[in-house]
Amino acid sequence: EDKVVQSPLSLVVHEGDTVTLNCSYEVTNFRSLLWYKQEKKAPTFLFMLTSSGIEKKSGRLSSILDKKELFSILNITATQTGDSAIYLCAVLLWRGGGSQGNLIFGKGTKLSVKP
Amino acid sequence: DAGVTQSPTHLIKTRGQHVTLRCSPISGHKSVSWYQQVLGQGPQFIFQYYEKEERGRGNFPDRFSARQFPNYSSELNVNALLLGDSALYLCASSIRGGMGTGELFFGEGSRLTVL
């Protein structure tokens, strides 16, 4: 059975701290790994990772994928209270027969940043 | 430009009733996917439609059905509601069914409570 496991499930830090969120996966037909931020309802896209070892950065956020060890990390430096959210990791699978890929999500990491 | 819009935003039903949830994708997007997010869990894939055809189905009972219209909007129908169907139902659109851009844009969701 395809599965995506995130850790920790929750995390409380203070502004200015650096955090690392983990995502491991066991799936068939891996295509890409994606990170989303969910503040209230709609998850918003952060990164898509397809190749191992290539870091993607956006401001204070960065992420990297290790396809050999089957995991990814999301780093947030100099955290701010606005970073408080649930961070979701998802794996996009290849589907054959003309069907399209779908995402398998982890349970998410709830990050709380205190002033 | 409007994002993905879903209606209704909240609704309360009783066991045994049916519900119809609606989704309008971003203009120009031809693929719509539906996800169920139970409290404390990551979203779980229900259906994907591309060019009005079903292109993927998750592990949900036949009580769940969906369709996509010529204008690419979509409906998710759930019959014979159970308490366990209480969840946030997320609709997501992408330009292509295969998510070549890596970006899946989510709506704010429809919060369904079954009593």
Side-chain angles (χ1 to χ4, degrees), chain B residues 53-73:
Chain B
E53 291 186 7
E54 182 183 305
R55 297 299 185 100
R57 173 186 282 255
N59 189 23
F60 279 80
D62 292 343
R63 299 184 295 108
F64 288 77
S65 63
R67 55 181 176 168
Q68 187 176 33
F69 299 99
N71 66 353
Y72 302 109
S73 66

Side-chain angles (χ1 to χ4, degrees), chain B residues 22-75:
Chain B
R22 296 178 177 80
C23 171
S24 293
I26 291 171
S27 178
H29 285 197
K30 298 181 178 180
S31 178
V32 169
S33 300
W34 287 94
Y35 287 80
Q36 179 197 64
Q37 188 173 23
V38 174
L39 196 62
Q41 303 290 320
Q44 192 170 1
F45 174 70
I46 311 176
F47 286 110
Q48 183 185 41
Y49 279 79
Y50 178 62
E51 288 283 16
K52 293 154 281 184
E53 291 186 7
E54 182 183 305
R55 297 299 185 100
R57 173 186 282 255
N59 189 23
F60 279 80
D62 292 343
R63 299 184 295 108
F64 288 77
S65 63
R67 55 181 176 168
Q68 187 176 33
F69 299 99
N71 66 353
Y72 302 109
S73 66
S74 178
E75 280 183 357

Side-chain angles (χ1 to χ4, degrees), chain A residues 49-69:
Chain A
L49 304 153
T50 304
S51 301
S52 268
I54 299 175
E55 185 182 51
K56 293 215 172 178
K57 294 193 73 171
S58 176
R60 297 177 293 103
L61 278 66
S62 63
S63 183
I64 197 163
L65 172 68
D66 186 327
K67 291 171 71 174
K68 182 179 178 183
E69 300 297 329

